[in-house]
Amino acid sequence: MIKEEETILLNEGKMLPVMEHFYTLQGEGAHTGKAAYFIRLGGCDVGCHWCDVKESWNADLHPLMSTLEIAETAAKFCKTVVLTGGEPLMYNLTLLTQRLKELGCDIHIETSGAYEMSGHLDWITLSPKKTVLPKEAIYSKANELKMIIFNNNDFIFAEAQAAKVSSNCKLYLQSEWSKRAEMYPKIIEFAMANPRWQVSVQTHKYLNIP
């Protein structure tokens, strides 16, 4: 397939750059411990210096897959499907999510919110980054706000972002993995002083699963 044809199919959402896809347990946030099929899309230009999947940034490194094929593969394993990345909202998710809904799936997404939303999404995990702030429209739609805490200033950023989401949005603080020994005591103290916040831990890393 020539590059021009690939670009057209990518723009239409008929093919997507899939870095990996796998069946595991959700390790973070409100759905921790729930079985889910993850579809990780390649491509991200948000540029978090502490990102733990930097290999996802360059979309050209990851093969284009048929959107319908990946939807049907996911649905065979589980009816909870998580779209992650990279930054999945870089792409037109209409066809993927439409097919997943036809197959009876609940669709979750993990996003920085830096791009316009597309597709049918049942659960939106918004994880804002200072480098590229979310689009305003996503704040009111977010089901959970997951703030990554790397240093003390991130608590201030977390509160500023929490002020923008709806009153029904769950609020989570999660340490950046390499800083967990330093930051979790501070996160615990903050959450106890501000009980609308909950603590999220990357349980999948402790369980040694994807």
Side-chain angles (χ1 to χ4, degrees):
M1 187 181 299
I2 62 173
K3 190 70 174 178
E4 184 177 348
E5 291 174 342
E6 288 184 347
T7 300
I8 292 171
L9 292 172
L10 186 62
N11 290 340
E12 292 176 345
K14 293 179 179 178
M15 298 191 80
L16 293 166
V18 177
M19 175 182 168
E20 58 182 349
H21 54 103
F22 51 91
Y23 186 40
T24 188
L25 301 181
Q26 171 60 270
E28 306 173 6
H31 293 278
T32 295
K34 179 180 288 188
Y37 199 89
F38 279 70
I39 300 173
R40 186 182 301 282
L41 301 181
C44 184
D45 57 5
V46 177
C48 305
H49 65 92
W50 41 255
C51 176
D52 57 3
V53 280
K54 288 182 179 179
E55 61 272 26
S56 71
W57 288 7
N58 186 351
D60 291 339
L61 298 179
H62 307 295
L64 290 178
M65 290 187 64
S66 161
T67 296
L68 298 182
E69 180 182 331
I70 190 62
E72 287 165 14
T73 298
K76 289 176 183 176
F77 284 86
C78 186
K79 299 305 182 185
T80 298
V81 177
V82 180
L83 307 180
T84 187
E87 175 45 68
L89 286 180
M90 287 181 67
Y91 305 104
N92 182 348
L93 300 177
T94 301
L95 290 178
L96 175 60
T97 58
Q98 178 180 312
R99 184 59 183 145
L100 286 169
K101 293 309 294 181
E102 290 170 354
L103 293 166
C105 296
D106 283 330
I107 305 160
H108 300 197
I109 193 168
E110 299 177 346
T111 177
S112 68
Y115 286 82
E116 299 293 340
M117 294 174 61
S118 63
H120 183 110
L121 304 168
D122 298 295
W123 186 269
I124 298 171
T125 298
L126 176 62
S127 188
K129 307 302 188 293
K130 295 175 185 176
T131 47
V132 185
L133 293 175
K135 300 290 185 183
E136 286 297 322
I138 199 170
Y139 285 108
S140 63
K141 296 179 173 64
N143 299 102
E144 65 178 336
L145 179 71
K146 183 175 68 181
M147 301 302 303
I148 307 302
I149 305 299
F150 183 79
N151 57 42
N152 292 334
N153 289 332
D154 289 331
F155 289 106
I156 299 171
F157 181 54
E159 288 281 47
Q161 293 299 293
K164 295 188 173 189
V165 297
S166 76
S167 59
N168 295 323
C169 183
K170 295 179 178 293
L171 306 181
Y172 288 95
L173 298 171
Q174 178 175 297
S175 176
E176 192 276 330
W177 181 250
S178 71
K179 304 276 281 188
R180 62 192 183 279
E182 175 187 352
M183 299 313 300
Y184 268 122
K186 297 178 180 180
I187 289 172
I188 291 167
E189 181 180 359
F190 189 90
M192 292 179 71
N194 302 273
R196 65 189 186 131
W197 287 96
Q198 295 176 246
V199 178
S200 175
V201 178
Q202 290 180 292
T203 60
H204 56 291
K205 292 190 175 180
Y206 288 102
L207 295 173
N208 196 29
I209 58 176

